[in-house]
Amino acid sequence: MDHRSNSGHLQEIDLRKLAELQEAERCCLSVYVSSQEHLNQLEQRAEHVRDLLSDSPDELTYFERNLALVRRWLDESGFADGFSGAGLAVFACEMLDYIDGVHLAVAPETGARQDIMRVGGSFYLRPLAELQDEFEDFLVVAADNRSTRIIQVASANVETADHVRGDVANQVKKGGWSQKRYQRRREKELHHYAQEINDHLRDLVEAHGIERIVLLGSQETLVELEEVLDAQLAAYVVGRQAADLQQGPDALVEEAYELFFAEEREEEEALWRRIQGEYLSDGLATTGATRVLDALKLGRVEEVLVTRNAEIQGTRCHDCENVHGTPQTCQICGSKEVFQLDLVDEMVRLAELSSAHVEFSDEIEGLTGVGEVAALLRY
């Protein structure tokens, strides 16, 4: 039986592997908790699930066996008596011989809830997909002419990744020929210093696969740095701002996050404009839950854009596993044995299986108007 604990790095969580695990029966259990207090209330939440499954003895049996797996995982992982960080996610399915857990640095949140116990035919991946989308790894470059700190932010965890000494003297007034020689020497030192920062950044980006950089610090140093940045690194810069570098790393990262999230919102709006333009010109785009779902089933989707708090219900057939929008009878085999599911979660699962990207956005008026979900298509 697969049994291990993930370290909590969001970008290392293999959603595709979890997405591949699926059954026609509701035999998969997904548990998210955001605190030790809520973990202690596991049995209380389990009682509610038992009540809901009281008329389905087979599914109740699956649930009890899976809950036992979750409790064993918590005990063996050392989390039953306490855990640090912002949350845990545990996935169990005895029928598939599977148990796995993820220690989270950021608390999951779906709607108003951070704590979830879900029974379904597949694992509930939406909260993890939202966290991966929102909390990408990035670098903060905190630079002035004396020194540079490069801070790596991974899954909201902060650590100093590198340090570059500059020791470029401040400008002074000398006058005459000596002033010009001094200025030329200083400019060369600043240029060499910026090149060195660029080289350190390149190494970090290549080593960790990072594609986002925020620049903070003195105007003079940042201008010089931007002039020498490799084209790839320059494309990764998502924000730039003067900042007081005497602050600690946490304060600097807080400033960086403001720029980072502002860029995220702009990218969401830009994606919507691309979808809107393609759709209006009868191009490669579609809108609405049912049409996006159908395109995902065919592997036609490149990017999905969905409102973060969208509540879109669908159904899955017990007999043939087909997923629909809202009908109470399977449109494929005619069975009336269907159960409800979160259609956004199903879109996440299908997107993982077809290497499509799901972008969760703040509310956008036009997107809301077409049903809170739209997509760019591959063909």
Side-chain angles (χ1 to χ4, degrees):
M1 178 168 288
D2 194 346
H3 187 152
R4 66 191 185 284
S5 171
N6 188 286
S7 64
H9 192 295
L10 292 173
Q11 305 307 324
E12 292 178 358
I13 299 171
D14 190 350
L15 292 188
R16 186 182 184 111
K17 179 177 181 179
L18 288 168
E20 290 171 346
L21 302 170
Q22 180 186 355
E23 286 288 336
E25 302 293 326
R26 284 189 287 195
C27 61
C28 296
L29 176 63
S30 305
V31 177
Y32 291 83
V33 292
S34 59
S35 69
Q36 184 62 39
E37 178 185 357
H38 289 117
L39 183 59
N40 295 338
Q41 296 170 359
L42 201 62
E43 183 57 35
Q44 187 176 329
R45 293 163 63 208
E47 276 301 316
H48 182 61
V49 174
R50 291 186 183 105
D51 290 341
L52 293 172
L53 294 176
S54 59
D55 61 350
S56 180
D58 289 344
E59 291 183 343
L60 182 57
T61 299
Y62 297 146
F63 172 70
E64 295 293 2
R65 291 175 177 173
N66 290 335
L67 187 60
L69 288 179
V70 170
R71 293 191 183 285
R72 189 188 315 159
W73 182 88
L74 291 169
D75 286 336
E76 294 179 3
S77 301
F79 292 137
D81 298 322
F83 66 89
S84 59
L88 292 173
V90 189
F91 307 98
C93 182
E94 188 190 53
M95 183 180 286
L96 295 171
D97 196 31
Y98 189 87
I99 176 71
D100 192 13
V102 180
H103 190 199
L104 300 173
V106 184
E109 185 169 354
T110 299
R113 296 171 298 127
Q114 292 181 322
D115 299 280
I116 301 162
M117 182 177 280
R118 288 262 181 160
V119 173
S122 57
F123 294 123
Y124 191 56
L125 305 182
R126 177 177 177 175
L128 290 181
E130 289 192 39
L131 291 178
Q132 284 191 342
D133 177 54
E134 190 74 355
F135 292 95
E136 295 181 58
D137 296 352
F138 68 100
L139 296 175
V140 181
V141 180
D144 61 16
N145 62 3
R146 305 300 299 178
S147 68
T148 294
R149 275 182 293 174
I150 303 177
I151 302 167
Q152 184 172 345
V153 184
S155 303
N157 288 322
V158 177
E159 61 180 61
T160 299
D162 213 338
H163 187 272
V164 183
R165 291 192 62 83
D167 292 327
V168 179
N170 291 326
Q171 298 198 47
V172 296
K173 294 183 179 179
K174 290 179 176 290
W177 181 247
S178 60
Q179 166 75 20
K180 293 178 181 177
R181 283 195 305 172
Y182 173 82
Q183 186 61 30
R184 282 197 299 271
R185 186 180 69 185
R186 186 176 182 279
E187 288 171 357
K188 287 181 181 179
E189 289 176 352
L190 189 60
H191 182 78
H192 176 77
Y193 172 43
Q195 287 278 16
E196 191 175 356
I197 298 170
N198 176 83
D199 295 343
H200 282 251
L201 282 174
R202 187 196 307 121
D203 292 343
L204 287 168
V205 162
E206 291 176 355
H208 301 284
I210 294 172
E211 297 182 358
R212 305 266 180 158
I213 300 171
V214 175
L215 305 179
L216 300 175
S218 69
Q219 182 75 1
E220 181 186 44
T221 306
L222 295 187
V223 167
E224 185 66 31
L225 177 58
E226 287 181 301
E227 287 184 359
V228 304
L229 278 178
D230 294 348
Q232 183 185 43
L233 295 179
Y236 290 165
V237 174
V238 298
R240 175 186 183 281
Q241 183 172 285
D244 176 9
L245 301 189
Q246 299 306 309
Q247 304 176 88
D250 289 344
L252 289 170
V253 169
E254 187 173 341
E255 286 192 38
Y257 258 127
E258 290 181 10
L259 297 172
F260 180 86
F261 287 138
E263 176 69 14
E264 282 283 302
R265 303 294 84 84
E266 288 181 11
E267 289 184 0
E268 291 159 11
E269 293 275 359
L271 177 56
W272 167 244
R273 288 193 295 271
R274 285 180 61 199
I275 293 172
Q276 188 181 48
E278 286 286 340
Y279 190 86
L280 291 173
S281 62
D282 199 25
L284 294 174
T286 191
T287 64
T290 300
R291 289 186 289 273
V292 172
L293 180 68
D294 288 343
L296 281 164
K297 290 177 181 178
L298 296 172
R300 294 182 59 205
V301 173
E302 184 67 31
E303 287 193 81
V304 178
L305 180 65
V306 59
T307 306
R308 200 178 316 283
N309 293 326
E311 296 289 343
I312 308 174
Q313 293 300 312
T315 57
R316 181 191 297 279
C317 178
H318 268 292
D319 296 332
C320 71
E321 303 183 38
N322 192 60
V323 175
H324 312 284
T326 54
Q328 297 306 305
T329 300
C330 180
Q331 295 173 325
I332 301 300
C333 70
S335 172
K336 294 185 181 298
E337 295 296 316
V338 298
F339 58 86
Q340 283 196 331
L341 50 71
D342 178 344
L343 207 57
V344 176
D345 179 62
E346 180 63 13
M347 290 179 189
V348 167
R349 193 184 72 82
L350 291 171
E352 287 295 328
L353 294 176
S354 59
S355 300
H357 174 68
V358 180
E359 183 76 33
F360 293 89
S361 79
D362 286 354
E363 187 172 317
I364 299 172
E365 185 176 354
L367 181 62
T368 301
V370 298
E372 299 192 288
V373 60
L376 283 177
L377 303 178
R378 291 169 176 156
Y379 61 90

